Amino acid sequence: KGDHSTYLNGVKKILSFVGTYVYENLKSNVINVIKPDGGFYLLPEFTNAKFSSSSEMCNDILNKTGVALLPGSDFGLDRKKMLARLSYTDFDGTNFLKNTLGSKKLDNADLKKYAPNIVDGVSKLKEWSNSL
């Protein structure tokens, strides 16, 4: 019961900002990704990854970076396409929301402070893709 618009707007603002950050920092000549328009997932394709399956690729990413992705084949996509499902929600949403609620525009300092795993994970993924 009651008005939840402040909460909902704050959560949407955070997820939109985090999604845009992940998108902007992953997109490259070797990672094809579409900018998110809601939700909290991306489906990057690693065009330079030469593995026998997306599952093998995700295992390599996990072992070399500590970043966990789900292979595209788990969602019915061609196992030979190097697609993975990436969730960008590895942060304490309650803390992030509590400390950024209001009209303040979010910036990268907020992300580094309240979602450091996102910043670190994106950096590791980018390094991994560039090292292939």
Side-chain angles (χ1 to χ4, degrees), residues 62-81:
L62 180 61
N63 291 331
K64 291 181 178 170
T65 68
V67 176
L69 302 173
L70 292 172
S73 59
D74 285 2
F75 301 93
L77 302 169
D78 184 345
R79 63 187 290 281
K80 294 191 184 285
K81 289 197 92 160

Side-chain angles (χ1 to χ4, degrees), residues 37-73:
D37 192 27
F40 45 87
Y41 295 104
L42 290 175
L43 199 66
E45 179 179 16
F46 298 87
T47 60
N48 61 339
K50 305 300 180 205
F51 296 95
S52 64
S53 68
S54 58
S55 183
E56 182 184 344
M57 178 191 68
C58 287
N59 283 330
D60 191 70
I61 292 170
L62 180 61
N63 291 331
K64 291 181 178 170
T65 68
V67 176
L69 302 173
L70 292 172
S73 59

Side-chain angles (χ1 to χ4, degrees), residues 29 33 50 53 58 68 71-72 78 80 82-83 86 88 93 97 110:
N29 291 334
V33 64
K50 305 300 180 205
S53 68
C58 287
D78 184 345
K80 294 191 184 285
M82 298 301 114
L83 291 160
L86 181 156
Y88 49 87
L97 181 63
D110 292 319

Side-chain angles (χ1 to χ4, degrees), residues 88-128:
Y88 49 87
T89 57
D90 188 10
F91 58 89
D92 180 343
T94 301
N95 189 44
F96 201 152
L97 181 63
K98 179 178 76 171
N99 287 288
T100 60
L101 200 56
S103 60
K104 178 187 181 301
K105 182 171 169 48
L106 298 177
D107 58 30
N108 287 350
D110 292 319
L111 197 63
K112 288 177 186 173
K113 184 172 184 179
Y114 302 113
N117 290 346
I118 300 297
V119 175
D120 187 45
V122 166
S123 176
K124 288 178 178 180
L125 271 178
K126 196 165 190 171
E127 286 175 26
W128 176 86

